[in-house]
Each structure stands twice: as C-alpha cells, then as structure tokens.
Amino acid sequence: MDGGHFRVHSEEVTKATHEALERRGVKIQDIAEIVLEMQLPFNEGLTIEHCAESVESVLRKREMQHALLVGIELDELAEQGKLSQPIQQIIGSDEGLFGVDEMIGLGAVLTYGSIAVTTFGHLDKNKTGIIHKLDTKYGGQVHTFLDDLVSSVAACASARIAHRTRDLEEEGRSFEDLKPEETTPETHVPGAEI
C-alpha cells in the first residue's frame, strides 16, 4: 500500500462479493425469488429473470459490495471464534439488542429511496425465503449480518423494479414488453458498461 493511493479494481470487488455470497450458500436466484414475491402483485409480466437482473444490478453498487464483504467477514470470524470478547458472544449469538447488523443493512439500502427502506423493514421483520433460513440458527453457522444484508439486497432490487415500473407505465408498457437485460437501463448508457 502506498499511503491510501492504491485502489482495488471494481471487477475484483464484484468477484469477491459474488464469491462471499456463494461461500455462505446464498444464490442470486434465492434473492430474486424474494424480489419476485414482493413485486409480482404490482407488475404484470414480471419474471424471475427480470428480478435476477435487478439483483445483479444492486450487487454492482460499491456501497452494497462493501457492506456484504464486511458483514460476511464478521460472520465468518465469529463462526471461527476469532473475535475478542464480548463481541464474539454478541455476534455469535445474534444478541437481540445488537443492532449494528441492521444498521449496516439499512445504510446500504438508503441509496434506493424510501420504498427500499420500508421494504427492508418488512423483510427484516417477516424473514421471507432465504432470509428465514439464514436467521435460523443451525449447525454452528453465524449469519448475524448476512440475513440483514440479503434483506437489503432484496429490498433494493425490489425498489429498482418499482421505479422501473413507473417508467414503463409512462411509456404505456409493462414488464411483459421488457427483456430481462432491459431491467437495468443504466448499464446500457454509453461509457457506463462494466
């Protein structure tokens, strides 16, 4: 390192984020299923492919990548018993008064507006899909941060679709008229390609 002048390339961070999710047993499809459940009642023609594309778009955001990498790292260190006390016990047991996990998830969701914030609250309370599995303690695994971070990704992807729905309505279209890759219009802006 050269005093803070070194930057980690975006591709490396994106790859590390996907690998961390995979290592913890979370697939894009798992998150997309939550998004589909949240948005299908409001979006004619919405498919799981549209939702997966929206999840992938959220996972390209640096704020989300950083939150996921930090949270997963802390979960894994707690699982291995490598944190100092009392934080080891607090994170390892997902103590009820420990709110740092929700704060990281909430912080990551803020870039997608109030609809993402309220959806995050709903998912945090109701533990839909893979979030429920992650929140359930089994086999010594620790997912204190990951359940909230998956809620955050799903909430952001749902908010993206809600915003895209408005755009489509104004054009007289619906998701039936949209290919999954068109769910993410910002990736088709000249100069913004990944």
Side-chain angles (χ1 to χ4, degrees), residues 2 15 17 56 64 66 73-74 77 102 104-105 114 135:
D2 60 356
K15 182 178 182 223
T17 301
E56 287 285 6
M64 188 61 73
H66 293 164
E73 183 86 7
L74 287 168
L77 289 171
E102 281 89 1
I104 290 177
S114 60
D135 188 55

Side-chain angles (χ1 to χ4, degrees), residues 100-116:
V100 176
D101 48 339
E102 281 89 1
M103 292 309 297
I104 290 177
L106 182 59
V109 88
L110 290 174
T111 58
Y112 286 91
S114 60
I115 189 169

